[in-house]
Amino acid sequence: MVRKYQLYLIEDEFAAHYFGRERLFYQLFQEHQKADGDLKFITKKQISYITKRVEALKIHQLIQKQLGRIKGFKAVHGAYSIELSGKLSTAKLEVFQELITVEAGGSYEAETAFFEVLRKCETSFLALDLEHQRYGWLKPIKERKFI
């Protein structure tokens, strides 16, 4: 079974405000995927409002620095792939301006390697697996303490 993730950087204020209600983000992205016409246009505007652009250069540098020496890591045409444990765990990552995509198969080892690097880079990455209705923060947001 192939797992496909879309990773979006959520603006900090929205990430904090909707902490614990991540399902609302998931529903918006799911609705956008199914929508057409006016609704597609509206959901696209909502998504651009709550998301930040991905700092592609920073991500590329970090991935190469952190994973470049791992056996089974490859960089081809700006996309990265990892094959671990003799292809028992595979993942491919691509960086775009609006999002990062990860496709993974087998055990979770390879995708976890990518996720660990991204977690260190930004605090508000939301990962969505629309096909299997799974979603969550790469780095759990601690609830802010108001004293």
Side-chain angles (χ1 to χ4, degrees):
M1 175 186 93
V2 174
R3 296 176 296 280
K4 293 180 182 179
Y5 302 97
Q6 297 175 341
L7 282 74
Y8 290 91
L9 255 183
I10 305 294
E11 288 281 1
D12 295 343
E13 61 179 297
F14 294 108
H17 184 72
Y18 288 98
F19 176 79
R21 294 181 289 172
E22 292 77 20
R23 180 159 192 80
L24 296 170
F25 289 126
Y26 170 76
Q27 287 167 337
L28 172 62
F29 286 99
Q30 190 184 41
E31 194 177 343
H32 178 68
Q33 190 184 38
K34 293 176 182 171
D36 47 34
D38 286 350
L39 185 59
K40 189 84 164 177
F41 176 75
I42 291 165
T43 54
K44 175 82 180 129
K45 275 193 116 42
Q46 289 173 322
I47 287 169
S48 6
Y49 187 68
I50 63 165
T51 57
K52 293 192 272 196
R53 288 175 78 120
V54 172
E55 289 184 57
L57 186 63
K58 183 176 162 186
I59 306 270
H60 285 297
Q61 289 170 337
L62 210 63
I63 287 174
Q64 286 172 334
K65 186 179 165 207
Q66 305 265 326
L67 302 173
R69 290 195 239 18
I70 290 180
K71 187 181 178 295
F73 174 82
K74 284 193 205 97
V76 183
H77 305 300
Y80 303 99
S81 63
I82 299 177
E83 285 182 3
L84 300 172
S85 319
K87 289 195 180 181
L88 289 176
S89 182
T90 62
K92 179 183 177 196
L93 179 143
E94 290 185 83
V95 181
F96 302 97
Q97 282 186 331
E98 280 89 39
L99 78 158
I100 293 175
T101 59
V102 176
E103 258 185 54
S107 73
Y108 293 90
E109 223 180 327
E111 72 208 58
T112 302
F114 281 136
F115 290 163
E116 283 302 314
V117 171
L118 296 173
R119 272 170 59 155
K120 290 174 191 155
C121 174
E122 290 281 356
T123 55
S124 60
F125 267 120
L126 183 70
L128 302 158
D129 176 352
L130 295 173
E131 218 174 302
H132 302 103
Q133 299 170 359
R134 294 170 55 216
Y135 52 91
W137 301 105
L138 285 194
K139 184 176 198 158
I141 296 169
K142 306 282 185 274
E143 279 193 85
R144 293 189 180 149
K145 302 267 187 277
F146 295 104
I147 302 169

PDB file of all heavy atoms in Angstrom, residues 1 3-4 13 22 28 31 36 41 45 49 59 62-63 78 102 106-107 117 123 127 131 141-142:
ATOM      1  N   MET A   1       0.831  -1.188   0.000  1.00  0.00           N
ATOM      2  CA  MET A   1       0.000   0.000   0.000  1.00  0.00           C
ATOM      3  C   MET A   1       0.880   1.258   0.000  1.00  0.00           C
ATOM      4  O   MET A   1       1.778   1.406   0.815  1.00  0.00           O
ATOM      5  CB  MET A   1      -0.888  -0.005   1.255  1.00  0.00           C
ATOM      6  CG  MET A   1      -1.706   1.253   1.392  1.00  0.00           C
ATOM      7  SD  MET A   1      -2.611   1.339   2.945  1.00  0.00           S
ATOM      8  CE  MET A   1      -1.446   2.225   3.959  1.00  0.00           C
ATOM      9  N   ARG A   3       1.475   5.160   0.608  1.00  0.00           N
ATOM     10  CA  ARG A   3       0.943   6.266   1.398  1.00  0.00           C
ATOM     11  C   ARG A   3       1.360   7.566   0.715  1.00  0.00           C
ATOM     12  O   ARG A   3       2.529   7.724   0.371  1.00  0.00           O
ATOM     13  CB  ARG A   3       1.504   6.198   2.826  1.00  0.00           C
ATOM     14  CG  ARG A   3       1.055   4.954   3.583  1.00  0.00           C
ATOM     15  CD  ARG A   3       1.678   4.850   4.955  1.00  0.00           C
ATOM     16  NE  ARG A   3       3.126   4.691   4.970  1.00  0.00           N
ATOM     17  CZ  ARG A   3       3.759   3.538   4.754  1.00  0.00           C
ATOM     18  NH1 ARG A   3       3.085   2.445   4.474  1.00  0.00           N
ATOM     19  NH2 ARG A   3       5.082   3.477   4.799  1.00  0.00           N
ATOM     20  N   LYS A   4       0.404   8.457   0.519  1.00  0.00           N
ATOM     21  CA  LYS A   4       0.705   9.743  -0.118  1.00  0.00           C
ATOM     22  C   LYS A   4       0.351  10.854   0.842  1.00  0.00           C
ATOM     23  O   LYS A   4      -0.788  10.958   1.279  1.00  0.00           O
ATOM     24  CB  LYS A   4      -0.112   9.909  -1.402  1.00  0.00           C
ATOM     25  CG  LYS A   4       0.269   8.935  -2.484  1.00  0.00           C
ATOM     26  CD  LYS A   4      -0.574   9.153  -3.728  1.00  0.00           C
ATOM     27  CE  LYS A   4      -0.185   8.115  -4.772  1.00  0.00           C
ATOM     28  NZ  LYS A   4      -0.979   8.251  -5.988  1.00  0.00           N
ATOM     29  N   GLU A  13      -0.503  31.663  13.468  1.00  0.00           N
ATOM     30  CA  GLU A  13      -1.718  32.073  14.195  1.00  0.00           C
ATOM     31  C   GLU A  13      -2.842  31.060  14.014  1.00  0.00           C
ATOM     32  O   GLU A  13      -3.591  30.759  14.942  1.00  0.00           O
ATOM     33  CB  GLU A  13      -2.175  33.477  13.796  1.00  0.00           C
ATOM     34  CG  GLU A  13      -2.533  33.608  12.336  1.00  0.00           C
ATOM     35  CD  GLU A  13      -2.999  35.009  11.960  1.00  0.00           C
ATOM     36  OE1 GLU A  13      -4.035  35.453  12.483  1.00  0.00           O
ATOM     37  OE2 GLU A  13      -2.318  35.639  11.129  1.00  0.00           O
ATOM     38  N   GLU A  22      -7.583  19.938  14.284  1.00  0.00           N
ATOM     39  CA  GLU A  22      -6.910  19.752  13.004  1.00  0.00           C
ATOM     40  C   GLU A  22      -7.853  19.186  11.950  1.00  0.00           C
ATOM     41  O   GLU A  22      -7.642  19.355  10.764  1.00  0.00           O
ATOM     42  CB  GLU A  22      -5.700  18.819  13.153  1.00  0.00           C
ATOM     43  CG  GLU A  22      -4.558  19.393  13.963  1.00  0.00           C
ATOM     44  CD  GLU A  22      -4.794  19.377  15.469  1.00  0.00           C
ATOM     45  OE1 GLU A  22      -5.643  18.606  15.964  1.00  0.00           O
ATOM     46  OE2 GLU A  22      -4.121  20.167  16.163  1.00  0.00           O
ATOM     47  N   LEU A  28     -11.100  21.028   4.973  1.00  0.00           N
ATOM     48  CA  LEU A  28     -10.909  22.058   3.954  1.00  0.00           C
ATOM     49  C   LEU A  28     -10.105  21.499   2.765  1.00  0.00           C
ATOM     50  O   LEU A  28     -10.491  21.671   1.615  1.00  0.00           O
ATOM     51  CB  LEU A  28     -10.196  23.281   4.546  1.00  0.00           C
ATOM     52  CG  LEU A  28      -9.759  24.368   3.543  1.00  0.00           C
ATOM     53  CD1 LEU A  28     -10.963  24.979   2.828  1.00  0.00           C
ATOM     54  CD2 LEU A  28      -8.960  25.451   4.250  1.00  0.00           C
ATOM     55  N   GLU A  31     -12.172  18.952   0.881  1.00  0.00           N
ATOM     56  CA  GLU A  31     -13.209  19.634   0.108  1.00  0.00           C
ATOM     57  C   GLU A  31     -12.598  20.237  -1.159  1.00  0.00           C
ATOM     58  O   GLU A  31     -13.165  20.154  -2.240  1.00  0.00           O
ATOM     59  CB  GLU A  31     -13.845  20.737   0.962  1.00  0.00           C
ATOM     60  CG  GLU A  31     -15.130  21.287   0.409  1.00  0.00           C
ATOM     61  CD  GLU A  31     -15.763  22.332   1.331  1.00  0.00           C
ATOM     62  OE1 GLU A  31     -15.397  22.410   2.521  1.00  0.00           O
ATOM     63  OE2 GLU A  31     -16.621  23.077   0.833  1.00  0.00           O
ATOM     64  N   ASP A  36     -15.043  21.672  -7.654  1.00  0.00           N
ATOM     65  CA  ASP A  36     -14.740  22.249  -8.961  1.00  0.00           C
ATOM     66  C   ASP A  36     -15.473  23.584  -9.084  1.00  0.00           C
ATOM     67  O   ASP A  36     -16.263  23.952  -8.217  1.00  0.00           O
ATOM     68  CB  ASP A  36     -15.100  21.293 -10.117  1.00  0.00           C
ATOM     69  CG  ASP A  36     -16.483  20.691  -9.969  1.00  0.00           C
ATOM     70  OD1 ASP A  36     -17.386  21.383  -9.452  1.00  0.00           O
ATOM     71  OD2 ASP A  36     -16.667  19.519 -10.372  1.00  0.00           O
ATOM     72  N   PHE A  41     -12.316  27.505  -6.493  1.00  0.00           N
ATOM     73  CA  PHE A  41     -11.688  28.831  -6.404  1.00  0.00           C
ATOM     74  C   PHE A  41     -11.705  29.331  -4.949  1.00  0.00           C
ATOM     75  O   PHE A  41     -10.704  29.821  -4.434  1.00  0.00           O
ATOM     76  CB  PHE A  41     -12.438  29.799  -7.324  1.00  0.00           C
ATOM     77  CG  PHE A  41     -11.927  31.216  -7.244  1.00  0.00           C
ATOM     78  CD1 PHE A  41     -10.730  31.569  -7.847  1.00  0.00           C
ATOM     79  CD2 PHE A  41     -12.652  32.188  -6.569  1.00  0.00           C
ATOM     80  CE1 PHE A  41     -10.258  32.867  -7.778  1.00  0.00           C
ATOM     81  CE2 PHE A  41     -12.177  33.501  -6.493  1.00  0.00           C
ATOM     82  CZ  PHE A  41     -10.976  33.843  -7.103  1.00  0.00           C
ATOM     83  N   LYS A  45      -8.502  29.870  -2.308  1.00  0.00           N
ATOM     84  CA  LYS A  45      -8.225  31.145  -1.630  1.00  0.00           C
ATOM     85  C   LYS A  45      -8.087  30.932  -0.117  1.00  0.00           C
ATOM     86  O   LYS A  45      -7.203  31.493   0.518  1.00  0.00           O
ATOM     87  CB  LYS A  45      -9.344  32.148  -1.910  1.00  0.00           C
ATOM     88  CG  LYS A  45      -9.153  32.907  -3.209  1.00  0.00           C
ATOM     89  CD  LYS A  45     -10.086  34.090  -3.309  1.00  0.00           C
ATOM     90  CE  LYS A  45      -9.454  35.442  -3.352  1.00  0.00           C
ATOM     91  NZ  LYS A  45      -8.281  35.609  -4.157  1.00  0.00           N
ATOM     92  N   TYR A  49      -4.707  31.474   2.189  1.00  0.00           N
ATOM     93  CA  TYR A  49      -4.777  32.388   3.328  1.00  0.00           C
ATOM     94  C   TYR A  49      -4.192  31.768   4.602  1.00  0.00           C
ATOM     95  O   TYR A  49      -3.538  32.462   5.381  1.00  0.00           O
ATOM     96  CB  TYR A  49      -6.231  32.820   3.564  1.00  0.00           C
ATOM     97  CG  TYR A  49      -6.382  33.902   4.609  1.00  0.00           C
ATOM     98  CD1 TYR A  49      -5.905  35.189   4.373  1.00  0.00           C
ATOM     99  CD2 TYR A  49      -6.982  33.639   5.834  1.00  0.00           C
ATOM    100  CE1 TYR A  49      -6.029  36.194   5.318  1.00  0.00           C
ATOM    101  CE2 TYR A  49      -7.117  34.633   6.793  1.00  0.00           C
ATOM    102  CZ  TYR A  49      -6.637  35.904   6.532  1.00  0.00           C
ATOM    103  OH  TYR A  49      -6.756  36.887   7.483  1.00  0.00           O
ATOM    104  N   ILE A  59      14.820  23.994   2.661  1.00  0.00           N
ATOM    105  CA  ILE A  59      14.448  22.577   2.766  1.00  0.00           C
ATOM    106  C   ILE A  59      15.450  21.701   2.005  1.00  0.00           C
ATOM    107  O   ILE A  59      15.925  20.705   2.525  1.00  0.00           O
ATOM    108  CB  ILE A  59      13.014  22.339   2.210  1.00  0.00           C
ATOM    109  CG1 ILE A  59      12.009  23.257   2.886  1.00  0.00           C
ATOM    110  CG2 ILE A  59      12.639  20.881   2.290  1.00  0.00           C
ATOM    111  CD1 ILE A  59      11.330  22.789   4.112  1.00  0.00           C
ATOM    112  N   LEU A  62      18.748  21.505   3.888  1.00  0.00           N
ATOM    113  CA  LEU A  62      18.607  20.714   5.109  1.00  0.00           C
ATOM    114  C   LEU A  62      18.549  19.215   4.805  1.00  0.00           C
ATOM    115  O   LEU A  62      19.217  18.421   5.462  1.00  0.00           O
ATOM    116  CB  LEU A  62      17.349  21.150   5.864  1.00  0.00           C
ATOM    117  CG  LEU A  62      17.393  20.994   7.365  1.00  0.00           C
ATOM    118  CD1 LEU A  62      18.482  21.863   7.970  1.00  0.00           C
ATOM    119  CD2 LEU A  62      16.053  21.351   7.981  1.00  0.00           C
ATOM    120  N   ILE A  63      17.761  18.852   3.814  1.00  0.00           N
ATOM    121  CA  ILE A  63      17.624  17.434   3.451  1.00  0.00           C
ATOM    122  C   ILE A  63      18.974  16.877   3.013  1.00  0.00           C
ATOM    123  O   ILE A  63      19.390  15.818   3.456  1.00  0.00           O
ATOM    124  CB  ILE A  63      16.548  17.235   2.359  1.00  0.00           C
ATOM    125  CG1 ILE A  63      15.158  17.434   2.975  1.00  0.00           C
ATOM    126  CG2 ILE A  63      16.663  15.843   1.728  1.00  0.00           C
ATOM    127  CD1 ILE A  63      14.020  17.420   1.992  1.00  0.00           C
ATOM    128  N   GLY A  78      15.776  17.354  -8.300  1.00  0.00           N
ATOM    129  CA  GLY A  78      15.106  18.085  -7.223  1.00  0.00           C
ATOM    130  C   GLY A  78      14.156  17.255  -6.377  1.00  0.00           C
ATOM    131  O   GLY A  78      13.500  17.759  -5.488  1.00  0.00           O
ATOM    132  N   VAL A 102       5.079  13.641  -0.158  1.00  0.00           N
ATOM    133  CA  VAL A 102       5.853  12.454   0.212  1.00  0.00           C
ATOM    134  C   VAL A 102       5.032  11.235  -0.183  1.00  0.00           C
ATOM    135  O   VAL A 102       3.853  11.146   0.148  1.00  0.00           O
ATOM    136  CB  VAL A 102       6.155  12.409   1.731  1.00  0.00           C
ATOM    137  CG1 VAL A 102       6.866  11.108   2.100  1.00  0.00           C
ATOM    138  CG2 VAL A 102       6.998  13.600   2.160  1.00  0.00           C
ATOM    139  N   GLY A 106       5.945   0.338   2.202  1.00  0.00           N
ATOM    140  CA  GLY A 106       6.636  -0.554   3.132  1.00  0.00           C
ATOM    141  C   GLY A 106       6.557  -0.025   4.551  1.00  0.00           C
ATOM    142  O   GLY A 106       5.594   0.643   4.928  1.00  0.00           O
ATOM    143  N   SER A 107       7.614  -0.287   5.324  1.00  0.00           N
ATOM    144  CA  SER A 107       7.609   0.172   6.717  1.00  0.00           C
ATOM    145  C   SER A 107       7.797   1.697   6.746  1.00  0.00           C
ATOM    146  O   SER A 107       8.109   2.311   5.737  1.00  0.00           O
ATOM    147  CB  SER A 107       8.718  -0.531   7.504  1.00  0.00           C
ATOM    148  OG  SER A 107       9.972  -0.022   7.123  1.00  0.00           O
ATOM    149  N   VAL A 117      13.589  15.470   9.557  1.00  0.00           N
ATOM    150  CA  VAL A 117      14.324  16.635   9.054  1.00  0.00           C
ATOM    151  C   VAL A 117      13.384  17.838   8.957  1.00  0.00           C
ATOM    152  O   VAL A 117      13.718  18.939   9.389  1.00  0.00           O
ATOM    153  CB  VAL A 117      14.946  16.333   7.665  1.00  0.00           C
ATOM    154  CG1 VAL A 117      15.519  17.597   7.040  1.00  0.00           C
ATOM    155  CG2 VAL A 117      16.025  15.272   7.796  1.00  0.00           C
ATOM    156  N   THR A 123       7.950  24.604  12.480  1.00  0.00           N
ATOM    157  CA  THR A 123       7.124  24.052  13.555  1.00  0.00           C
ATOM    158  C   THR A 123       5.698  23.734  13.129  1.00  0.00           C
ATOM    159  O   THR A 123       5.008  22.997  13.807  1.00  0.00           O
ATOM    160  CB  THR A 123       7.058  25.038  14.740  1.00  0.00           C
ATOM    161  OG1 THR A 123       6.584  26.293  14.237  1.00  0.00           O
ATOM    162  CG2 THR A 123       8.399  25.203  15.398  1.00  0.00           C
ATOM    163  N   ALA A 127       0.640  17.387   8.018  1.00  0.00           N
ATOM    164  CA  ALA A 127       0.690  16.310   7.031  1.00  0.00           C
ATOM    165  C   ALA A 127      -0.709  15.761   6.825  1.00  0.00           C
ATOM    166  O   ALA A 127      -1.427  15.495   7.790  1.00  0.00           O
ATOM    167  CB  ALA A 127       1.624  15.200   7.533  1.00  0.00           C
ATOM    168  N   GLU A 131      -6.254  10.261   1.060  1.00  0.00           N
ATOM    169  CA  GLU A 131      -6.781   8.964   0.639  1.00  0.00           C
ATOM    170  C   GLU A 131      -7.194   8.079   1.815  1.00  0.00           C
ATOM    171  O   GLU A 131      -8.189   7.388   1.780  1.00  0.00           O
ATOM    172  CB  GLU A 131      -5.695   8.245  -0.166  1.00  0.00           C
ATOM    173  CG  GLU A 131      -6.203   7.452  -1.335  1.00  0.00           C
ATOM    174  CD  GLU A 131      -5.035   6.910  -2.151  1.00  0.00           C
ATOM    175  OE1 GLU A 131      -4.210   7.726  -2.626  1.00  0.00           O
ATOM    176  OE2 GLU A 131      -4.947   5.680  -2.279  1.00  0.00           O
ATOM    177  N   ILE A 141       2.135  20.686  18.443  1.00  0.00           N
ATOM    178  CA  ILE A 141       2.139  22.047  18.964  1.00  0.00           C
ATOM    179  C   ILE A 141       1.728  21.984  20.438  1.00  0.00           C
ATOM    180  O   ILE A 141       0.706  21.409  20.778  1.00  0.00           O
ATOM    181  CB  ILE A 141       1.140  22.927  18.190  1.00  0.00           C
ATOM    182  CG1 ILE A 141       1.586  23.033  16.731  1.00  0.00           C
ATOM    183  CG2 ILE A 141       1.016  24.308  18.826  1.00  0.00           C
ATOM    184  CD1 ILE A 141       0.561  23.648  15.821  1.00  0.00           C
ATOM    185  N   LYS A 142       2.566  22.550  21.270  1.00  0.00           N
ATOM    186  CA  LYS A 142       2.243  22.592  22.695  1.00  0.00           C
ATOM    187  C   LYS A 142       1.206  23.697  22.893  1.00  0.00           C
ATOM    188  O   LYS A 142       1.333  24.765  22.313  1.00  0.00           O
ATOM    189  CB  LYS A 142       3.486  22.922  23.530  1.00  0.00           C
ATOM    190  CG  LYS A 142       4.670  22.000  23.279  1.00  0.00           C
ATOM    191  CD  LYS A 142       4.480  20.678  23.983  1.00  0.00           C
ATOM    192  CE  LYS A 142       5.701  19.801  23.852  1.00  0.00           C
ATOM    193  NZ  LYS A 142       5.805  18.987  22.685  1.00  0.00           N
TER     194      LYS A 142
END
